[in-house]
Amino acid sequence: MALRIPPPPRSLGRALSVAALAWFAVALTGLATMTPASAQTDFFRFEQRPTSKAKPAARPSSQGDKQMMVQATEVQYDHVNERVSAVGNVQIYYDGSTIEADKVTYNQRTKRLRAEGNVRLTEPGGNITYGEILELNDDYRDGFVDSLRVETPDQTRFAAARADRSDGRYSVLQSGVYTACEPCKTDPRKPPLWQVKGARIIHDEQEKMIHFEQGSFELLGMPIAYFPYFSTPDPTVKRKSGWLMPVFSTSSKLGFVAEAPYFWALAPNYDLTLTPSVSTKQGPFIQGEFRHRLMNGAYAIRAAGIRQFDKDEFVHTNGQPTPGYRDWRGSIESNGQFGLNQRWVWGWDALLISDKTFYQDYRVQTFTNDVRNPFRNTNMERVSQLYLVGRGNRAFFDARTIYYYGFSEFDQQKQLPIIHPVIDYTYVVGQPVLGGELSFRFNLTSLSRDTASFDPINKTAEDSNFCGPTTADPAVKNTNNCLLRGAPGNYSRYSAEATWRKTFTDPFGQVLTPFFSLRADVAQVNIENEPGVANFIDTSDTTRFRGMPVAGLEYRYPLINIQPWGTTTIEPIAQIIARPNEPSIGKLPNEDAQSFVFDDGNLFRVDKFAGWDRVEGGGRVNYGIQATTQFNHGGYVNVLFGQSYQLFGANSFAAGDATNTGLNSGLDTRKSDYVARFAYQPDRIFTFTTRYRFDEKNFDMRRFELEGRANFDRLSLQALYGIYDKQPELGFLARREGILGGVSYKVSENWAMLAAARYDIDADKFDQTRFGVGYIDDCLILALNYITSYTYSGNPTKDHRLMLQLSLRTLGTTSGSSGVPGIGGL
């Protein structure tokens, strides 16, 4: 005869999976009508094993329909009570599922199956259910398990004194416990790192929700929170609507703040998160974020707003209101990026905000918060932009329009430029041209600014506010007092450059690289004649052309010495460059080339200016020597020393523009300052790099940086020490000296500590610090950080903040932060 065993039902959830036993009952029903001799059929096999030696279970073979195999030490028949039992090391296999127990009994009258003693149910999906007694009716809907334990493939675990199943969807765990942590390897009886207990844990398999009643949360074996009710999606759910972890914080202006985010999974590809919060001083505050992913990209919209209860909190100590002194405050922002094809993408960042200190005062989470750099305050600057980017094997294109926001109280929005577009394109020809490489670069920049931006460069100008926007006397705003950082009006420039170079190596190993370039610029300049602007730049409406042909030769002669302990390469380097003087110095605004530092990194650059608004002119020779030793056992030493010399023509770095770029740089004399680098890495642990700039006349130190890193097994150290000479033409009237350092230590496999600080040696104070300790493993992240930095909202002071983060796998993340009162500057 053949018993037709029905296929197993779908898994009924990971919290409690008892229905998987039901189809085993049908097999035992067939045993009730058999004799032991007929207990083996072509459809399933029953093996009666002697108690002295248990026979290993064999896997069934498939013959048409899926087969079941039942193994036990003995089988018992009770024809009077219509029961059949498999007793002793019972193992039942069917379609990848396995049940193991000391005894399995099926009652034909009650249609109930009962497994007793060391019950273990393993499902095809990986769920493992343990219990002492498991009972289930044959319609798969009702049953119970005593002393339940469930382990799922994603390493979540449930336990309960008893579990009951009803209505085919509800599993109720009495005195239940849930955790996503593994048991302690050395002492499994110890409580896990965290667990959630409930007088009742209810798993609704239809809604895929787990409800905890009269629950408590335990961390490291200690109860730290109690709640009458709590619910969470079951571990099979990746996205589900519901409340997220709350967030708590305190600050002097807001008081105590409590946030309760709610997440709506509106569809598989879009969702909405609303975060209502309330503060004791300012009242209700609402934030929301909508995210939408499409076939070729994604976008998000975020908004926040509040009607403040007490705007007087945002007033300076001198009685002057801050930008936050208003009733209504808020922001709307959006970002997105979409792919046009494999090479092209376009996107945007957009922002509307009520005032410049809103993000700082309310610590709104924005799209650009940088969690990797604790010293970077992304709420001090933002942009709105629209961009198009394309990448090829030998080409790159970037076009964008930009609107800058300054969020310091000292920022004047009208002084910041609006970039109509800025377009960059580079292309390298794929085939050799005259045996060398030919490349092209293009740039288009168009911008406007409403009001001039001046910076003072001496103490008198700073104290007297000569360079401020309210100073109307044009005579006091001049190159002796101020720098014109940004000119008012409109400025558009188009630049194109072609470069050719080819490298030759002669039989003696000398490397010669001739290069030629031709650059052309055309600019339309319309500068507004505000007070003092004419002292720095021509305020007429003009069109200017600029061309720069360059011819040069680079020479290198690497000399290699091989020894048993390593290889040393000594390489003299020289460049000779011929070109005319830089045209129109100071006639064009300098917007993108204001940042300039002469060091080892740009000694051999043909044009040492960083941007397009300035172009280096005049004949010049750059020369130096580099030596590198590679040790066979690992490690290296690298030394570079060099100088630059103005051969003929006007020195571009000695002719200051409206921003004095190039002055006090070490390149503003015919013979430049000496620059040097010394780098040493003895092994994989230590790395040291020093950079120098020495005065070309007396060899005085003008600039020095020492950077060191050490990475041990558990300890990592890094430090940067710098000394920078005064640069009065740029507004740095005194020498600057400081050190930035950081250390992290892995206390154990899971615990780590870190500290970082920036110390201003001249001012004899720490201006930024961070200390933190954290624990991380597969189920828990716990971190505590203390951070100090400066805030520029209200009265510019040092901000002390204590931050706590708790992240529980499968449940979510919560955090809290608090201003630390009563702590002075370190």
Side-chain angles (χ1 to χ4, degrees), residues 211 329 418 558:
H211 306 272
R329 304 180 71 182
I418 301 174

Side-chain angles (χ1 to χ4, degrees), residues 18 21 113-116 119 132-136 144-146:
V18 294
L21 292 172
L113 180 143
R114 181 183 179 92
E116 302 175 70
V119 180
E132 284 302 315
I133 298 176
L134 186 151
E135 188 165 318
L136 188 71
F144 71 87
V145 181
D146 282 344

Side-chain angles (χ1 to χ4, degrees), residues 352-379:
L352 290 174
I353 193 167
S354 60
D355 58 272
K356 62 180 68 175
T357 60
F358 173 65
Y359 280 164
Q360 299 175 62
D361 293 337
Y362 285 90
R363 298 189 175 273
V364 176
Q365 293 295 312
T366 68
F367 292 124
T368 58
N369 286 133
D370 190 349
V371 298
R372 296 169 298 178
N373 185 353
F375 291 156
R376 182 189 175 200
N377 189 348
T378 55
N379 285 340

Side-chain angles (χ1 to χ4, degrees), residues 514-593:
F515 55 88
F516 301 92
S517 67
L518 178 63
R519 172 173 161 177
D521 305 276
V522 57
Q524 177 66 37
V525 185
N526 183 8
I527 305 299
E528 300 290 338
N529 191 16
E530 291 187 4
V533 173
N535 297 330
F536 296 84
I537 194 170
D538 189 354
T539 57
S540 61
D541 186 355
T542 60
T543 300
R544 295 189 179 275
F545 298 91
R546 184 173 65 185
M548 180 60 66
V550 177
L553 176 67
E554 180 178 284
Y555 170 83
R556 294 174 180 259
Y557 191 13
L559 304 171
I560 301 176
N561 181 14
I562 301 177
Q563 297 291 336
W565 44 264
T567 302
T568 298
T569 303
I570 300 177
E571 185 179 36
I573 308 172
Q575 283 179 336
I576 184 169
I577 304 168
R579 57 197 163 197
N581 293 336
E582 178 186 2
S584 304
I585 299 178
K587 303 297 184 182
L588 297 176
N590 180 4
E591 297 284 349
D592 67 358

Side-chain angles (χ1 to χ4, degrees), residues 17 30 44 52 66 73 89 100 125 244 271 326 330 398 424 462 474 510 521 644 648 668 687 689 720 763 820:
S17 183
F44 79 99
S52 61
K66 296 172 182 176
T73 302
N89 298 321
E100 302 172 58
L244 305 179
D271 55 55
R326 58 179 65 207
D398 187 297
D424 287 288
E462 183 176 357
Q510 300 177 102
D521 305 276
S644 184
F648 57 83
D668 51 341
T687 301
T689 303
L720 174 63
V820 182

